[in-house]
Amino acid sequence: MQRGFFLGVPGLDVAALRLKFRGSMLGTGVGDALGRPLEGGVFRLVVEQPEFDGRYTDDTEMMIGVAESLVEVGGFDGEHMARTFMRNYDPDLDRAVRRYGPGPPTVFRLIERGERWDAASRRLFGGEGSFGNGAAMRIAPVGLLYFDEPEALRKITEQSSLITHAHPLGVEGAVVQAYAVALAVKSKPPSLNPREFLEELEAFTREEVYREALREAALLLDERADRRKVVSALGNGVEAFRSVPTAIYCFAANAESFEKTVLYAISLGGDTDTIGAMAGAISGAYHGEEKIPSEWVRKLENADYIASLADRLLELKLKQQ
Ligand code: AR6
Ligand code: MG
């Protein structure tokens, strides 16, 4: 790799990438922890002084699992990643803080009883698999590791999603989110054009539900829609197709600031921790660690460990060049 250049993008050198990798993973944690106390609420007009104790939920715990597995194996291994999720899962902590959806712990029990890592999730929800946002909320490390390899990004996202989410809309939500992280890594602030960003995502996705939502997001951007309209058009639910486009919109409409992006995301109500986590992952990948308010990073649970995982992920990326 040439010094000072990555993919011909001026300024995207190793130092910039390090800040972006850290920014995306810490951004997931910060957005998740900001949204945690508000989960399930109705939207508020502005969240000016958010409660922030730095404790994160299943989103960040599973994102850590994705990154741990990728760096420990040196790439993707489904059995290993499933076992890593299971190693990190603690039922008592789940009830008190992490608050997993019902799907993943069910999958863990099935695998524990001998089901294959890529078969267990297919038994959920009457055999159609989960279309929850749980595969998308944890996907930042895959978007980072494969940011300049769209086909590998799609393939590894699909496989890693399948561990818990077998429904095509659950999987494609993760693909769209991973690609949003990748595009954010490749863009140097303040050069990103939010409209073109949405168009590139629309061109990449293979599911009409997401293409339509991304076109809707572009219209909302043009008309500077209010929150009520954003929630009614894009959603704030636990379904991937009612939250991934929303998180992407939160970033596109507030691309100039990490803080504005995540505060806007958690102000929409509903699944605030996950919409915050996904918007934070994209904005953090764009702006980098230094643009995340330091008080939030300082308070975030396991922030040093998350940053060290991001560094190891970048080392893996550089080794693969
Ligand atoms: N049919 C009907 N409902 C479904 C289906 C389906 N095929 N798939 C999902 N749901 P789950 P997650 C509904 O359990 O995606 C946590 O707080 C169903 O109501 O796979 O890992 C996370 O932080 C199901 O319970 O969980 C996220 O915010 C729900 O979607 C959120 O929960 C979630 O699917 C989702 O996490
Ligand atoms: Mg959560």
Side-chain angles (χ1 to χ4, degrees):
M1 195 185 72
Q2 267 181 285
R3 269 177 202 286
F5 271 86
F6 205 98
L7 266 183
V9 183
L12 197 54
D13 54 15
V14 173
L17 277 176
R18 178 166 292 117
L19 293 173
K20 282 171 165 283
F21 274 46
R22 285 177 162 222
S24 186
M25 290 183 51
L26 291 167
T28 302
V30 165
D32 179 10
L34 276 168
R36 190 178 72 83
L38 301 167
E39 193 180 3
V42 289
F43 66 78
R44 317 184 166 197
L45 283 185
V46 218
V47 185
E48 268 163 9
Q49 295 231 301
E51 216 181 298
F52 188 78
D53 65 4
R55 301 222 68 185
Y56 55 72
T57 75
D58 57 335
D59 306 49
T60 306
E61 183 159 280
M62 294 197 86
M63 187 249 348
I64 288 173
V66 170
E68 286 175 337
S69 183
L70 291 171
V71 300
E72 282 168 29
V73 171
F76 178 72
D77 177 329
E79 172 74 26
H80 186 278
M81 193 175 282
R83 295 277 166 195
T84 307
F85 292 156
M86 291 159 72
R87 183 184 73 199
N88 291 345
Y89 180 73
D90 172 340
D92 294 330
L93 196 57
D94 179 13
R95 275 188 290 277
V97 188
R98 306 297 192 222
R99 300 219 294 271
Y100 281 69
T106 308
V107 165
F108 302 159
R109 279 192 295 275
L110 289 168
I111 295 176
E112 202 60 68
R113 287 194 217 130
E115 195 88 58
R116 272 180 57 112
W117 71 270
D118 55 354
S121 66
R122 299 181 204 267
R123 301 202 9 195
L124 267 49
F125 300 104
E128 69 171 10
S130 174
F131 52 54
N133 52 23
M137 72 191 185
R138 67 181 187 229
I139 206 64
V142 177
L144 296 171
L145 186 59
Y146 301 101
F147 79 86
D148 57 344
E149 301 167 76
E151 283 319 307
L153 176 145
R154 171 173 283 282
K155 190 169 139 235
I156 305 303
T157 299
E158 288 173 352
Q159 291 179 356
S160 70
S161 297
L162 195 57
I163 299 171
T164 51
H165 289 67
H167 194 289
L169 293 179
V171 174
E172 190 68 8
V175 170
V176 177
Q177 170 67 15
Y179 198 58
V181 167
L183 290 180
V185 170
K186 286 194 277 188
S187 309
K188 190 176 183 228
S191 71
L192 182 128
N193 176 324
R195 214 168 201 301
E196 286 170 12
F197 171 74
L198 294 175
E199 282 165 9
E200 262 198 78
L201 286 170
E202 188 199 332
F204 191 68
T205 181
R206 294 183 183 162
E207 289 282 350
E208 184 52 26
V209 172
Y210 288 99
R211 282 200 289 267
E212 207 181 303
L214 290 163
R215 281 195 295 273
E216 187 66 40
L219 294 176
L220 294 167
L221 205 59
D222 288 346
E223 64 179 74
R224 299 169 176 275
D226 65 25
R227 288 173 166 79
R228 222 172 275 273
K229 189 152 186 203
V230 170
V231 171
S232 94
L234 301 178
N236 62 3
V238 294
E239 305 88 354
F241 49 88
R242 295 293 282 169
S243 53
V244 173
T246 316
I248 287 167
Y249 174 81
C250 292
F251 168 65
N254 301 280
E256 71 280 8
S257 153
F258 177 89
E259 189 174 351
K260 277 178 70 180
T261 295
V262 290
L263 291 181
Y264 183 85
I266 65 168
S267 79
L268 297 178
D271 195 3
T272 44
D273 59 327
T274 295
I275 298 176
M278 295 190 295
I282 304 167
S283 189
Y286 180 51
H287 292 289
E289 179 189 18
E290 287 174 329
K291 296 291 162 61
I292 302 178
S294 55
E295 198 203 320
W296 287 346
V297 176
R298 202 163 34 73
K299 272 197 186 167
L300 179 69
E301 196 184 349
N302 295 325
D304 289 346
Y305 179 62
I306 293 170
S308 75
L309 271 177
D311 292 349
R312 289 170 66 196
L313 197 66
L314 178 58
E315 273 168 36
L316 176 60
K317 176 73 187 164
L318 298 175
K319 247 198 302 189
Q320 288 177 347
Q321 292 307 298

